[in-house]
Amino acid sequence: MSRDDLSEYLFDYLGVAKIKDYCPNGLQVEGKPQIKKIITGVTASLALIERAIGEKADAILVHHGWFWKSDDSRVVGQLHDRLKLLMSHDINLFAYHLPLDVHPQLGNNAQLANMMGWTVAKPSKRSPLATLGVMDGLIWEGKPAASQKTLGQLARSLASRLGRDPLVVGDQNQPIKRIAWCTGGAQNYIKEASLMKVDAYISGEISESTFHAANEMGVAYIAAGHHATERYGIQALGQHLQKTFRIKHQFIDLPNPV
């Protein structure tokens, strides 16, 4: 498959034009024009590039790419080392951040729900989030699985399925009937989650202020891991491309405790 055809397909399939983000989504570094093998991973780290070279990949697809708006624009240090290695092997780098979080089938929120057996609620036009400017699909809500009726059961189920012990704020015996979730570093959306009248909010990370917000707003909070909650969207995207275009695909999971 040609690089340009793949880029155009993903732009349309992931609805990139509809989403305002703080990094470029799509082809970030141009490599060889024809793509036969894709490596997917969570972050475009030096270690992932080295693995992709070893696997003789033509392209790398990640959730966390480069060139964030807050980054130093100079090509020095860490970025220089990564970019030099990638370009010297003529490997393409594609990155999809928020478009991969919100996609209704392959997105991180959707994939986490599938992994955990959560029932997703249909978005309500009367949702309080509509007045807060929160992007459609960024925060999901629904019901936990039947085996996750308390906060402790929910936390243990996350630990078992994600392979990482979560950090839990709240009474382990608290009944959990409705939940909200947003993968990755979305702890600051706890206010929005509280307005949804849920019993618990699940995300990837936690800040010092999250502890106080959860207690004062009466919402249990679970930090299940940024990396742990965002492994599945990019993996599902790679599998989709393999099935649709018969491109070779390999997901490489490099452990990250955060």
Side-chain angles (χ1 to χ4, degrees):
M1 185 177 192
S2 77
R3 174 192 63 232
D4 295 341
D5 286 346
L6 178 60
S7 180
E8 183 177 348
Y9 175 80
L10 289 172
F11 183 87
D12 292 336
Y13 185 74
L14 296 176
V16 172
K18 302 176 183 177
I19 299 173
K20 184 178 181 180
D21 210 336
Y22 38 94
C23 62
N25 287 291
L27 182 64
Q28 291 192 337
V29 179
E30 186 177 291
K32 58 192 66 173
Q34 293 295 319
I35 297 174
K36 296 180 180 179
K37 183 173 182 178
I38 294 171
I39 292 295
T40 58
V42 177
T43 300
S45 64
L46 190 67
L48 184 65
I49 296 170
E50 291 172 341
R51 289 288 301 274
I53 292 169
E55 296 296 337
K56 302 186 184 304
D58 305 305
I60 300 172
L61 267 69
V62 295
H63 179 48
H64 301 138
W66 302 340
F67 314 116
W68 305 90
K69 288 184 179 179
S70 59
D71 284 351
D72 185 342
S73 60
R74 297 174 299 165
V75 183
V76 297
Q78 180 188 31
L79 178 59
H80 170 271
D81 294 343
R82 290 176 170 182
L83 191 57
K84 181 179 180 181
L85 187 61
L86 190 73
M87 295 186 70
S88 65
H89 288 83
D90 207 21
I91 298 176
N92 295 280
L93 175 64
F94 294 84
Y96 298 93
H97 185 232
L98 293 184
L100 193 59
D101 283 321
V102 304
H103 193 273
Q105 287 82 40
L106 303 184
N108 286 316
N109 282 340
Q111 291 297 312
L112 181 61
N114 290 340
M115 175 71 62
M116 295 302 302
W118 297 338
T119 301
V120 179
K122 293 183 179 179
S124 172
K125 294 181 180 180
R126 296 182 179 181
S127 170
L129 300 188
T131 62
L132 295 173
V134 177
M135 185 188 308
D136 288 344
L138 192 56
I139 301 177
W140 285 36
E141 63 177 306
K143 296 181 180 180
S147 60
Q148 303 162 4
K149 294 182 179 180
T150 67
L151 181 61
Q153 290 174 340
L154 177 59
R156 288 190 291 273
S157 182
L158 280 161
S160 174
R161 301 186 191 192
L162 301 185
R164 179 190 187 277
D165 290 333
L167 192 155
V168 183
V169 179
D171 182 354
Q172 298 272 334
N173 296 316
Q174 176 187 341
I176 301 295
K177 295 181 179 179
R178 296 181 64 240
I179 59 174
W181 64 94
C182 183
T183 64
Q187 63 268 43
N188 289 335
Y189 283 118
I190 190 168
K191 176 182 177 180
E192 287 79 359
S194 72
L195 292 174
M196 300 165 74
K197 306 298 182 183
V198 297
D199 301 305
Y201 174 51
I202 302 100
S203 188
E205 296 187 29
I206 189 168
S207 300
E208 190 274 344
S209 60
T210 315
F211 173 80
H212 304 292
N215 285 325
E216 293 167 19
M217 294 177 185
V219 180
Y221 182 74
I222 299 179
H226 194 139
H227 177 86
T229 58
E230 295 196 325
R231 286 179 296 191
Y232 306 105
I234 195 67
Q235 187 173 0
L237 181 60
Q239 292 169 344
H240 168 78
L241 293 174
Q242 183 177 42
K243 181 178 179 180
T244 304
F245 299 107
R246 300 187 183 279
I247 298 175
K248 291 182 180 179
H249 163 247
Q250 181 180 349
F251 172 70
I252 294 179
D253 186 21
L254 299 175
N256 186 330
V258 177

